[in-house]
Amino acid sequence: MTPAIDYSNSRHALVPARSTERFARPRLVEVSKAPQGELVHTHDGRALYLRGIEPGDLAALKRQFTRLSPEDIRRRFLHCMGELPDSMAQRLVNIDPARETAFVLMDETVKPAEMRGVGRIFVDEAANSAEFSVLVEHDWARQGLGALLMQRLVDDCRRRGLSEIWGYVLLENRPMLHLCKDLGFVRRLSPEEPGTTQISLQL
Ligand SMILES: CC(C)(COP(=O)(O)OP(=O)(O)OC[C@H]1O[C@@H](n2cnc3c(N)ncnc32)[C@H](O)[C@@H]1OP(=O)(O)O)[C@@H](O)C(=O)NCCC(=O)NCCS
């Protein structure tokens, strides 16, 4: 007769799995998405990723707005704005690639990733030109990012076969006027917009 096997002290004892284990949901493993875009560096060595804006950037765009000074906001939007309306934020992240390009500089060293700079163009097909805007948040300024974004926008306009890139800049906005002068932009008087100048680059 085959002897009965005593499993009671064995490592192999057939103990049923605990109910919490039997019915446990599969563990959610957080898969962190690899940063997308081109790795670029500030003059002082900080890393950012340059890529096109996406609808999923809505929250980061809104957070960035809350970090801007009233002066930055006025210089970027050419008027004061206490908050960024949701409809406008939606519009800014959902671009029409046929007529718009928007590059963002994403800081992936923080979670969630933060948007440190944005440069965009809006194409006027009839005039074969594009209007630009650019913004770099204060703690990241004077690091070459504004120039980088502007250069990429100029390249994009050339790729599109446009003949001119232009924008309105407040006359008091010396950083932007300096930056654009370095890139070869010239100033035009804009009498219809007092306190502003139109700057443009023929491509
Ligand atoms: C204007 C702005 C985009 C500049 O961005 P930035 O990342 O600081 O610019 P950069 O570091 O690339 O500077 C490039 C050049 O611009 C000029 N410049 C930038 N900031 C300057 C400042 N505070 N004073 C004088 N010149 C300045 C310099 O010529 C500089 O070259 P340098 O650093 O080799 O001297 C940024 O200050 C900003 O977002 N301002 C608020 C929004 C705005 O004004 N947008 C423009 C209208 S759409």
Side-chain angles (χ1 to χ4, degrees):
M1 187 176 138
T2 320
I5 303 171
D6 176 10
Y7 285 110
S8 58
N9 286 322
S10 157
R11 285 193 305 126
H12 305 292
L14 296 174
V15 181
R18 280 194 222 113
S19 63
T20 50
E21 286 163 8
R22 272 183 288 149
F23 303 115
R25 293 203 200 114
R27 218 177 326 141
L28 287 178
V29 179
E30 202 173 309
V31 181
S32 50
K33 222 171 92 183
Q36 306 288 308
E38 178 190 350
L39 178 62
V40 298
H41 289 94
T42 58
H43 291 331
D44 64 6
R46 288 176 280 172
L48 291 167
Y49 285 85
L50 176 87
R51 61 164 171 79
I53 205 163
E54 296 166 357
D57 292 327
L58 182 68
L61 182 93
K62 287 178 162 179
R63 287 196 303 275
Q64 185 194 45
F65 189 86
T66 66
R67 294 191 296 271
L68 300 178
S69 68
E71 185 185 54
D72 284 344
I73 293 170
R74 206 164 60 84
R75 288 179 169 184
R76 159 63 181 87
F77 296 97
L78 304 179
H79 57 261
C80 300
M81 280 167 62
E83 60 182 46
L84 182 64
D86 194 56
S87 55
M88 189 173 182
Q90 291 278 2
R91 168 78 195 79
L92 290 172
V93 294
N94 287 284
I95 63 167
D96 170 5
R99 304 184 65 193
E100 294 169 84
T101 297
F103 294 120
V104 289
L105 287 164
M106 299 303 296
D107 176 6
E108 300 279 352
T109 64
V110 288
K111 290 283 169 259
E114 296 292 3
M115 191 179 286
R116 303 305 185 189
V118 191
R120 56 178 75 234
I121 54 154
F122 193 87
V123 176
D124 177 348
E125 283 165 15
N128 199 38
S129 69
E131 181 177 1
F132 73 81
S133 68
V134 65
L135 173 78
V136 174
E137 75 178 65
H138 188 262
D139 288 351
W140 293 73
R142 226 49 215 271
Q143 293 295 321
L145 300 176
L148 173 74
L149 286 168
M150 285 302 294
Q151 189 56 61
R152 294 304 170 96
L153 294 175
V154 167
D155 294 346
D156 188 69
C157 287
R158 290 208 168 100
R159 181 188 61 82
R160 289 172 180 267
L162 300 175
S163 54
E164 185 187 30
I165 177 172
W166 64 273
Y168 287 115
V169 179
L170 294 179
L171 283 168
E172 53 154 71
N173 191 351
R174 303 199 71 77
M176 190 60 191
L177 293 174
H178 267 114
L179 191 166
C180 287
K181 193 167 174 233
D182 291 349
L183 293 175
F185 280 70
V186 293
R187 280 161 73 161
R188 277 200 222 137
L189 285 178
S190 40
E192 70 280 8
E193 299 277 350
T196 23
T197 182
Q198 201 182 0
I199 55 170
S200 70
L201 179 72
Q202 299 301 312
L203 302 169

